[in-house]
Amino acid sequence: MATNTGPEGQQEEADVPFMQQLLDNPMVLLLLGVVVPTVSYTIWGIMEVVSIPIAP
Amino acid sequence: MAATIPHPHRVCPDTGFKIDLNAEKLIKWNAVTGVVVFLIGGLFGLGVALTRMPSVHLLDAELFYLALTAHGADVLVIFIIFFEMAILYFASTVLLQCRLPTPWLGWVAYALMVLGAAMANYTVLIGEASVMFTSYVPMKAHPLFYLGLILFAVGALLVCIHFFATLIVAKRERTYQGSIPLVTFGAMVAAIIAVYTIASGAIILVPTLLWSIGYINYIDPLMYKVVWWGLGHSSQQINVAAHISVWYAIAAILFGAKPLSEKVSRTAFLMYILFLQIASAHHLLVEPGISSEFKIWNTSYAMYLAVLGSMIHGLTVPGAIEAAQRKRGFNKGLFEWLRKAPWGNPVFSGMFLSLVGFGFLGGISGVTMGVEQINLIIHNTIYVPGHFHATVALGTTLAFMALSYWLVPTLWQKELFAPGLAKLQPYLFFGGMSGVALFQMGAGTLGVPRRHWDMTFADAAANTGITYKFQASASMLMDLNGLAALIGSIGALIWVLNMVGTLLLSPKKGTRPAPAAAPTGAGTIAQTGSHGTLGDVPGTFVIVMIFFACFALYYYVNWKYLGEIWLLK
Amino acid sequence: MSIFPPEQRIWWKEPVERAEVLWVSIAFIWCLIMFLMMPYWHMTGNQNLANTAFRITPERYAAKAEEMVAKYKVREEGTNAVPVVHPPPGSDVYLIGRLWEWWPILELEKGKEYKLHLSSMDWLHGFSLQPTNINIQVHPGYDMAIRITPTTSGEHAIVCNEFCGIGHHAMLGKIYVK
């Protein structure tokens, strides 16, 4: 199993593909998991409600 | 490199894992509290089912609506989240073999959750909060109902924060190498969804609490629904991530199963992180003034990408088991690996039945009724509870039951109290709750409403002279629902009995638990390698293709039903 | 195993099993088909909600409903003398949901289109038209307008399927289609 100390370890850190780095990063995933639904559902949804016109 | 920070722990005699002693206490207290709340909520549920059985009609109207509110809050949210908190502590400290950074935080969180749950339940029990778990404004509950839910949510949020802190500590202290295990990753997904869920809850319930005490004088009912469902449905998506993680865990524990591909499984979980919560929009499909663009994008989980994630897990979980079984010699034909799986072990039977129930009954019905237009023939009928009994009872609850049959004896180092009954229990619960799901879906298709005390409308006839009769088959379906609920309840009670009995009455474990079934008879020697076009997991591939056929068929049948109603533009 | 860290440090580059690739491809195409069905139905199907809605106070909405009733009432029914109205095809029809009745009773003609308005005077209600099984949410403070064409004749009931208190199960309305 690979270790992640020393020069070999640092080299391996650099070799990790971007997608794996993303999936290995809980904080970024937490940010995405909160921001994306907040924008797509909550904020867009609130905008939909406030833009309903008043009856003529 | 070794931490000088204390890590009080013991080594599990069965698995060799290091178990942090503080985390262990929190796992136990949260799990046991969950079981107690499940018992209460389940009994209310039985009362509800026996009332909706036209031939029994057990509770009077006031008690029925009270019981229904309690049932919803207690089993959909409170029981399940207590259990999920236990899973978060387990997936972090135990699977990463690390210390719990801040034990006192865990206890503060637990106390908040218990206080909040008790407060909310109290207001319901005294009849001051029969507003259903959704508590739609302008219907108003006692202020302590909202405060109770808020405190419960804050407690759960603290546990999630603690979970992320544990991940950081484990990585920094190098208690594991490389990436976190897939099960921990899935638990992390649940925690991420929980953060969005709880934030949504705070945004809507805090103003609602202030409104209930008269400090704010108006809450727009449509705005309430939009924000509340960010809490309401997302709380159920926490369950999806959690129970799928449990499936993977059980596959590993019982079979030594390895994920077919870490990349594929984790990417499927990524789809959940990004897109699972937005389908809260499927609760808004027949509301005034919401645009079709909003509805279509959000109800589809972003072009159904999160559904794709579910369908991927639907292959990779059984596929991992099939691959492991085939390596052990169960290689004959398409399904020997499944036929010779340990169906007598409730850990396995519960897990596999949970997968089948969640996928075939819960998933298919959920995606179908979430279609923007099909929702017209479904919204607020009893079809909706039919769907979510399949997802939450068959999916989440049965998975948690299955896990507990392994976790409780192992963590407490006790023999299971009633192993003979335990063998039977998943089948009883699965059979009963499948019946509930199917009969409710059937009755809902015939128009029977949900959250409704009397499908014969006797009071309407008495008060106004207006009458309506559903087709006779609708009443029969609701009677059958009651019977199915009874069977499911017996299954539920047996589980509770086993949990309580194991904790309080069973002797300490002497021997190791029985290993999963070893290969028998003349099977071909274990081979890895291709089986032709269908690769290493042909049996699972056939299962998912059958699933796909059912899905496509059911989906299009409902478009046909939609085409038969009045024209709407 | 899923309870241990992945064996390979870099698992992103592991080759993927053929069955998985095939299933993901099939499932992805199915997801796209399902996604496109919704806009497709908007273009070619006959059952869609227009999402037309307005904010309106209960008092103003009640006034519109009462005006309609005054113009098109044909009789009264039931122990509470609920008016039955026969509005002309193509006109605006105002239905009120309130604790615990639907008011008025409508008499419509099969095959003709009406602009049906829905609003509540108090709490959330659920407009559930049976036996055709159309289900729409009714809010106080909002007027939802849908263009509706009855395709089945006879006596239809409006069940309330959004919990609205202790009289919820007694809330029953009627629509006649001639």
Side-chain angles (χ1 to χ4, degrees), chain C residues 12-23:
Chain C
W12 186 260
K13 296 209 178 119
E14 280 173 3
V16 180
E17 169 83 45
R18 199 180 342 186
E20 282 186 289
V21 176
L22 189 55
W23 173 240

Side-chain angles (χ1 to χ4, degrees), chain B residues 114-202:
Chain B
V114 170
L115 179 62
M119 209 183 267
N121 266 282
Y122 169 73
T123 57
V124 174
L125 288 172
I126 61 171
E128 293 281 307
S130 295
V131 290
M132 302 300 122
F133 163 54
T134 44
S135 55
Y136 287 147
V137 306
M139 206 161 52
K140 193 182 283 197
H142 192 287
L144 292 184
F145 175 77
Y146 306 106
L147 183 60
L149 293 177
I150 291 169
L151 292 177
F152 181 82
V154 170
L157 183 63
L158 292 177
V159 178
C160 293
I161 292 173
H162 204 179
F163 173 81
F164 286 108
T166 308
L167 293 185
I168 292 173
V169 161
K171 183 156 188 170
R172 200 185 325 135
E173 292 176 8
R174 302 210 167 107
T175 61
Y176 67 98
Q177 307 280 18
S179 309
I180 58 180
L182 183 60
V183 171
T184 309
F185 190 82
M188 181 195 71
V189 174
I192 290 174
I193 298 174
V195 171
Y196 169 78
T197 301
I198 294 167
S200 302

Side-chain angles (χ1 to χ4, degrees), chain B residues 58-375:
Chain B
L58 183 68
L59 306 174
D60 70 36
E62 216 174 305
L63 198 47
F64 170 77
Y65 291 124
L66 184 160
L68 186 52
T69 304
H71 173 61
D74 283 339
V75 294
L76 264 183
V77 173
I78 298 175
F79 136 70
I80 269 181
I81 291 187
F82 268 116
F83 214 86
E84 283 158 354
M85 300 296 99
I87 289 176
L88 284 185
Y89 287 118
F90 177 81
S92 54
T93 61
V94 176
L95 294 186
L96 300 180
Q97 311 259 328
C98 69
R99 63 187 177 90
L100 187 66
T102 325
W104 64 261
L105 184 63
W107 292 110
V108 167
Y110 176 76
L112 279 173
M113 286 174 70
V114 170
L115 179 62
M119 209 183 267
N121 266 282
Y122 169 73
T123 57
V124 174
L125 288 172
I126 61 171
E128 293 281 307
S130 295
V131 290
M132 302 300 122
F133 163 54
T134 44
S135 55
Y136 287 147
V137 306
M139 206 161 52
K140 193 182 283 197
H142 192 287
L144 292 184
F145 175 77
Y146 306 106
L147 183 60
L149 293 177
I150 291 169
L151 292 177
F152 181 82
V154 170
L157 183 63
L158 292 177
V159 178
C160 293
I161 292 173
H162 204 179
F163 173 81
F164 286 108
T166 308
L167 293 185
I168 292 173
V169 161
K171 183 156 188 170
R172 200 185 325 135
E173 292 176 8
R174 302 210 167 107
T175 61
Y176 67 98
Q177 307 280 18
S179 309
I180 58 180
L182 183 60
V183 171
T184 309
F185 190 82
M188 181 195 71
V189 174
I192 290 174
I193 298 174
V195 171
Y196 169 78
T197 301
I198 294 167
S200 302
I203 295 173
I204 193 59
L205 286 178
V206 171
T208 306
L209 169 64
L210 295 175
W211 167 75
S212 74
I213 59 178
Y215 192 69
I216 293 181
N217 75 10
Y218 178 70
I219 302 229
D220 182 279
L222 188 55
M223 192 72 78
Y224 178 95
K225 276 197 85 167
V226 171
V227 184
W228 193 91
W229 280 110
L231 158 76
H233 201 95
S234 306
S235 63
Q236 305 311 303
Q237 310 292 28
I238 304 172
N239 300 342
V240 174
H243 76 235
I244 290 181
S245 305
V246 167
W247 293 344
Y248 280 115
I250 290 176
I253 291 165
L254 289 184
F255 301 96
K258 288 205 281 248
L260 297 180
S261 161
E262 295 275 356
K263 169 160 80 179
V264 171
S265 291
R266 290 173 195 244
T267 306
F269 272 128
L270 178 65
M271 296 297 108
Y272 280 4
I273 291 173
L274 296 173
F275 303 126
L276 209 52
Q277 300 92 296
I278 65 179
S280 296
H282 61 227
H283 295 278
L284 306 176
L285 298 177
V286 292
E287 308 294 308
I290 311 272
S291 73
S292 287
E293 289 83 2
F294 173 88
K295 291 177 185 176
I296 291 175
W297 172 259
N298 284 298
T299 198
S300 71
Y301 301 89
M303 300 190 300
Y304 291 109
L305 286 175
V307 174
L308 177 62
S310 290
M311 289 200 277
I312 289 174
H313 291 304
L315 177 98
T316 56
V317 173
I321 295 176
E322 179 174 1
Q325 285 283 79
R326 284 184 184 277
K327 276 210 183 76
R328 276 171 155 162
F330 297 108
N331 230 337
K332 232 170 45 179
L334 279 175
F335 293 115
E336 190 194 22
W337 63 276
L338 190 57
R339 280 185 288 112
K340 299 261 176 78
W343 290 100
N345 182 346
V347 183
F348 174 73
S349 61
M351 174 249 154
F352 207 83
L353 289 173
S354 157
L355 189 140
V356 169
F358 178 75
F360 280 82
L361 292 181
I364 293 178
S365 62
V367 173
T368 303
M369 63 177 191
V371 173
E372 185 201 359
Q373 298 95 338
I374 295 181
N375 194 258

Side-chain angles (χ1 to χ4, degrees), chain C residues 69 73-77 80-85 103-106:
Chain C
V69 169
K73 176 168 157 177
V74 291
R75 62 178 183 280
E76 288 176 351
E77 265 188 30
N80 297 340
V82 179
V84 181
V85 296
W103 193 93
I105 292 176
L106 302 176

Side-chain angles (χ1 to χ4, degrees), chain C residues 28-45:
Chain C
F28 180 63
I29 293 171
W30 174 237
C31 287
L32 286 179
I33 292 174
M34 289 196 293
F35 180 68
L36 293 170
M37 270 303 298
M38 289 188 277
Y40 176 74
W41 192 263
H42 270 283
M43 295 187 294
T44 62

